[in-house]
Amino acid sequence: PGVFSGAGNRDIRVPAMPLVITSRAGPDATEIDCGGDEYFGFYFSGGHDTLTVLEGVTVTGAGKGAVACYDRAGPLIRRCVMTRNLFAGGWHGGGVVCEGNAHPLLRECTISDNWGDPHGGGVFCKSAAPELVDCLITGNSATKSGGGVTAMNSSHPVLRRCVITANTARGDDGGGVYVIMSSATLVDCIVTENAAGKGGGGIFSGVNGILDVSGTVIARNLASTVGGGVHSLTGMTMRGCTVVRNRAASYGAGIQCM
């Protein structure tokens, strides 16, 4: 347990092999402080599967993503906290970055109070397919779109039993979730109290975006233009969902489809 910083405790490149990186005392007592905009926390690139495990740590202060997965990497990230990370001046998210057909599995993680400029404060996906299960995504911000989660350029994230709350897209669409030229699947999630500077306070699906949402509560989200709960420009399927008490300044307080 303790706070670990400086050389050797950031820019940690994890080899693609059966390996478990874990803490003795859990994320509340074990913190990796990356300490600057030019650093990432843990970096996975090429051929990882769920036999490569990162477990039980908090990662903070990273400027290139607390956890970065590239080039087909698919590690298991379990019971970790990614908080107070910032990515400025690029496409990446502050908390988790997934690109290049990466497909990590995140279980029981907290992704909180991260910042992305312009997109994806919490989780950023570009040509990637992460799966998030029983995760909390909260308090993240983006200067443009996708305060909580951004999926773009043929990404296919799946979120199961996740709570996506109090995230903000300050300048554009998708306070909680932003999908463009991609698909996103939400199963038994809670999307609540997110806000967007334009449309889709809870969820936004733009050009060539496809949403598949089931068993999900979408409540008390706010859009500064249209679609307080959901704003979809293209394909969307919703089954067994509850959409309640969302607000939009213009129209489509609950769901706006165009």
PDB file of all heavy atoms in Angstrom, residues 86-104:
ATOM      1  N   LEU A  86      -6.036  13.555 -17.132  1.00  0.00           N
ATOM      2  CA  LEU A  86      -6.344  14.602 -18.095  1.00  0.00           C
ATOM      3  C   LEU A  86      -5.635  14.302 -19.398  1.00  0.00           C
ATOM      4  O   LEU A  86      -4.442  13.990 -19.408  1.00  0.00           O
ATOM      5  CB  LEU A  86      -5.869  15.967 -17.565  1.00  0.00           C
ATOM      6  CG  LEU A  86      -5.760  17.114 -18.582  1.00  0.00           C
ATOM      7  CD1 LEU A  86      -7.143  17.549 -19.026  1.00  0.00           C
ATOM      8  CD2 LEU A  86      -5.000  18.292 -17.978  1.00  0.00           C
ATOM      9  N   PHE A  87      -6.406  14.385 -20.513  1.00  0.00           N
ATOM     10  CA  PHE A  87      -5.739  14.373 -21.819  1.00  0.00           C
ATOM     11  C   PHE A  87      -6.165  15.624 -22.563  1.00  0.00           C
ATOM     12  O   PHE A  87      -7.344  15.809 -22.853  1.00  0.00           O
ATOM     13  CB  PHE A  87      -6.084  13.141 -22.647  1.00  0.00           C
ATOM     14  CG  PHE A  87      -5.164  12.991 -23.832  1.00  0.00           C
ATOM     15  CD1 PHE A  87      -4.089  12.126 -23.773  1.00  0.00           C
ATOM     16  CD2 PHE A  87      -5.345  13.737 -24.987  1.00  0.00           C
ATOM     17  CE1 PHE A  87      -3.214  11.994 -24.845  1.00  0.00           C
ATOM     18  CE2 PHE A  87      -4.482  13.622 -26.049  1.00  0.00           C
ATOM     19  CZ  PHE A  87      -3.416  12.754 -25.994  1.00  0.00           C
ATOM     20  N   ALA A  88      -5.210  16.486 -22.867  1.00  0.00           N
ATOM     21  CA  ALA A  88      -5.501  17.754 -23.528  1.00  0.00           C
ATOM     22  C   ALA A  88      -4.812  17.807 -24.883  1.00  0.00           C
ATOM     23  O   ALA A  88      -3.677  17.368 -25.036  1.00  0.00           O
ATOM     24  CB  ALA A  88      -5.027  18.921 -22.671  1.00  0.00           C
ATOM     25  N   GLY A  89      -5.520  18.350 -25.871  1.00  0.00           N
ATOM     26  CA  GLY A  89      -4.921  18.580 -27.175  1.00  0.00           C
ATOM     27  C   GLY A  89      -4.853  17.357 -28.054  1.00  0.00           C
ATOM     28  O   GLY A  89      -4.000  17.260 -28.935  1.00  0.00           O
ATOM     29  N   GLY A  90      -5.723  16.377 -27.861  1.00  0.00           N
ATOM     30  CA  GLY A  90      -5.756  15.185 -28.701  1.00  0.00           C
ATOM     31  C   GLY A  90      -7.128  14.565 -28.652  1.00  0.00           C
ATOM     32  O   GLY A  90      -8.046  15.093 -28.053  1.00  0.00           O
ATOM     33  N   TRP A  91      -7.286  13.395 -29.276  1.00  0.00           N
ATOM     34  CA  TRP A  91      -8.588  12.742 -29.329  1.00  0.00           C
ATOM     35  C   TRP A  91      -8.850  11.883 -28.112  1.00  0.00           C
ATOM     36  O   TRP A  91      -9.945  11.442 -27.871  1.00  0.00           O
ATOM     37  CB  TRP A  91      -8.669  11.875 -30.587  1.00  0.00           C
ATOM     38  CG  TRP A  91      -8.705  12.688 -31.837  1.00  0.00           C
ATOM     39  CD1 TRP A  91      -7.637  12.985 -32.647  1.00  0.00           C
ATOM     40  CD2 TRP A  91      -9.822  13.351 -32.417  1.00  0.00           C
ATOM     41  NE1 TRP A  91      -8.046  13.781 -33.694  1.00  0.00           N
ATOM     42  CE2 TRP A  91      -9.379  14.017 -33.583  1.00  0.00           C
ATOM     43  CE3 TRP A  91     -11.162  13.451 -32.054  1.00  0.00           C
ATOM     44  CZ2 TRP A  91     -10.224  14.761 -34.392  1.00  0.00           C
ATOM     45  CZ3 TRP A  91     -11.999  14.180 -32.866  1.00  0.00           C
ATOM     46  CH2 TRP A  91     -11.537  14.825 -34.016  1.00  0.00           C
ATOM     47  N   HIS A  92      -7.849  11.595 -27.326  1.00  0.00           N
ATOM     48  CA  HIS A  92      -7.940  10.553 -26.326  1.00  0.00           C
ATOM     49  C   HIS A  92      -8.745  10.941 -25.102  1.00  0.00           C
ATOM     50  O   HIS A  92      -8.919  12.113 -24.805  1.00  0.00           O
ATOM     51  CB  HIS A  92      -6.535  10.152 -25.876  1.00  0.00           C
ATOM     52  CG  HIS A  92      -5.656   9.690 -26.976  1.00  0.00           C
ATOM     53  ND1 HIS A  92      -5.142  10.544 -27.912  1.00  0.00           N
ATOM     54  CD2 HIS A  92      -5.204   8.456 -27.296  1.00  0.00           C
ATOM     55  CE1 HIS A  92      -4.396   9.865 -28.769  1.00  0.00           C
ATOM     56  NE2 HIS A  92      -4.421   8.602 -28.414  1.00  0.00           N
ATOM     57  N   GLY A  93      -9.175   9.925 -24.366  1.00  0.00           N
ATOM     58  CA  GLY A  93      -9.857  10.133 -23.105  1.00  0.00           C
ATOM     59  C   GLY A  93      -8.870  10.174 -21.956  1.00  0.00           C
ATOM     60  O   GLY A  93      -7.748   9.671 -22.049  1.00  0.00           O
ATOM     61  N   GLY A  94      -9.309  10.768 -20.866  1.00  0.00           N
ATOM     62  CA  GLY A  94      -8.426  10.870 -19.720  1.00  0.00           C
ATOM     63  C   GLY A  94      -8.276   9.568 -18.950  1.00  0.00           C
ATOM     64  O   GLY A  94      -7.197   9.248 -18.473  1.00  0.00           O
ATOM     65  N   GLY A  95      -9.387   8.809 -18.803  1.00  0.00           N
ATOM     66  CA  GLY A  95      -9.344   7.609 -17.974  1.00  0.00           C
ATOM     67  C   GLY A  95      -8.838   6.386 -18.698  1.00  0.00           C
ATOM     68  O   GLY A  95      -7.779   5.839 -18.376  1.00  0.00           O
ATOM     69  N   VAL A  96      -9.590   5.927 -19.701  1.00  0.00           N
ATOM     70  CA  VAL A  96      -9.258   4.708 -20.447  1.00  0.00           C
ATOM     71  C   VAL A  96      -9.236   5.040 -21.931  1.00  0.00           C
ATOM     72  O   VAL A  96     -10.179   5.636 -22.461  1.00  0.00           O
ATOM     73  CB  VAL A  96     -10.278   3.585 -20.173  1.00  0.00           C
ATOM     74  CG1 VAL A  96      -9.943   2.343 -20.981  1.00  0.00           C
ATOM     75  CG2 VAL A  96     -10.328   3.260 -18.682  1.00  0.00           C
ATOM     76  N   VAL A  97      -8.168   4.627 -22.616  1.00  0.00           N
ATOM     77  CA  VAL A  97      -8.013   4.842 -24.050  1.00  0.00           C
ATOM     78  C   VAL A  97      -7.960   3.488 -24.734  1.00  0.00           C
ATOM     79  O   VAL A  97      -7.161   2.616 -24.347  1.00  0.00           O
ATOM     80  CB  VAL A  97      -6.725   5.623 -24.364  1.00  0.00           C
ATOM     81  CG1 VAL A  97      -6.573   5.812 -25.870  1.00  0.00           C
ATOM     82  CG2 VAL A  97      -6.720   6.960 -23.658  1.00  0.00           C
ATOM     83  N   CYS A  98      -8.805   3.295 -25.752  1.00  0.00           N
ATOM     84  CA  CYS A  98      -8.812   2.041 -26.515  1.00  0.00           C
ATOM     85  C   CYS A  98      -8.752   2.376 -27.998  1.00  0.00           C
ATOM     86  O   CYS A  98      -9.655   3.041 -28.515  1.00  0.00           O
ATOM     87  CB  CYS A  98     -10.078   1.232 -26.235  1.00  0.00           C
ATOM     88  SG  CYS A  98     -10.351   0.837 -24.503  1.00  0.00           S
ATOM     89  N   GLU A  99      -7.721   1.894 -28.685  1.00  0.00           N
ATOM     90  CA  GLU A  99      -7.577   2.144 -30.110  1.00  0.00           C
ATOM     91  C   GLU A  99      -7.007   0.914 -30.807  1.00  0.00           C
ATOM     92  O   GLU A  99      -6.481   0.003 -30.169  1.00  0.00           O
ATOM     93  CB  GLU A  99      -6.654   3.343 -30.361  1.00  0.00           C
ATOM     94  CG  GLU A  99      -7.193   4.673 -29.888  1.00  0.00           C
ATOM     95  CD  GLU A  99      -6.402   5.860 -30.435  1.00  0.00           C
ATOM     96  OE1 GLU A  99      -5.792   5.720 -31.516  1.00  0.00           O
ATOM     97  OE2 GLU A  99      -6.390   6.915 -29.775  1.00  0.00           O
ATOM     98  N   GLY A 100      -7.131   0.911 -32.143  1.00  0.00           N
ATOM     99  CA  GLY A 100      -6.471  -0.112 -32.950  1.00  0.00           C
ATOM    100  C   GLY A 100      -6.930  -1.519 -32.665  1.00  0.00           C
ATOM    101  O   GLY A 100      -6.121  -2.428 -32.444  1.00  0.00           O
ATOM    102  N   ASN A 101      -8.261  -1.730 -32.656  1.00  0.00           N
ATOM    103  CA  ASN A 101      -8.857  -3.050 -32.425  1.00  0.00           C
ATOM    104  C   ASN A 101      -8.567  -3.602 -31.026  1.00  0.00           C
ATOM    105  O   ASN A 101      -8.622  -4.819 -30.813  1.00  0.00           O
ATOM    106  CB  ASN A 101      -8.397  -4.053 -33.490  1.00  0.00           C
ATOM    107  CG  ASN A 101      -8.863  -3.664 -34.875  1.00  0.00           C
ATOM    108  OD1 ASN A 101     -10.039  -3.384 -35.088  1.00  0.00           O
ATOM    109  ND2 ASN A 101      -7.934  -3.632 -35.833  1.00  0.00           N
ATOM    110  N   ALA A 102      -8.282  -2.729 -30.096  1.00  0.00           N
ATOM    111  CA  ALA A 102      -8.162  -3.168 -28.702  1.00  0.00           C
ATOM    112  C   ALA A 102      -9.513  -3.615 -28.171  1.00  0.00           C
ATOM    113  O   ALA A 102     -10.556  -3.095 -28.562  1.00  0.00           O
ATOM    114  CB  ALA A 102      -7.606  -2.036 -27.844  1.00  0.00           C
ATOM    115  N   HIS A 103      -9.491  -4.596 -27.273  1.00  0.00           N
ATOM    116  CA  HIS A 103     -10.752  -5.139 -26.746  1.00  0.00           C
ATOM    117  C   HIS A 103     -10.595  -5.531 -25.274  1.00  0.00           C
ATOM    118  O   HIS A 103     -10.832  -6.679 -24.889  1.00  0.00           O
ATOM    119  CB  HIS A 103     -11.215  -6.334 -27.583  1.00  0.00           C
ATOM    120  CG  HIS A 103     -10.139  -7.389 -27.765  1.00  0.00           C
ATOM    121  ND1 HIS A 103     -10.065  -8.506 -26.976  1.00  0.00           N
ATOM    122  CD2 HIS A 103      -9.102  -7.457 -28.625  1.00  0.00           C
ATOM    123  CE1 HIS A 103      -9.028  -9.251 -27.348  1.00  0.00           C
ATOM    124  NE2 HIS A 103      -8.420  -8.621 -28.341  1.00  0.00           N
ATOM    125  N   PRO A 104     -10.200  -4.600 -24.418  1.00  0.00           N
ATOM    126  CA  PRO A 104     -10.043  -4.930 -23.002  1.00  0.00           C
ATOM    127  C   PRO A 104     -11.382  -5.252 -22.342  1.00  0.00           C
ATOM    128  O   PRO A 104     -12.436  -4.794 -22.779  1.00  0.00           O
ATOM    129  CB  PRO A 104      -9.440  -3.660 -22.416  1.00  0.00           C
ATOM    130  CG  PRO A 104      -9.948  -2.567 -23.302  1.00  0.00           C
ATOM    131  CD  PRO A 104      -9.964  -3.168 -24.675  1.00  0.00           C
TER     132      PRO A 104
END
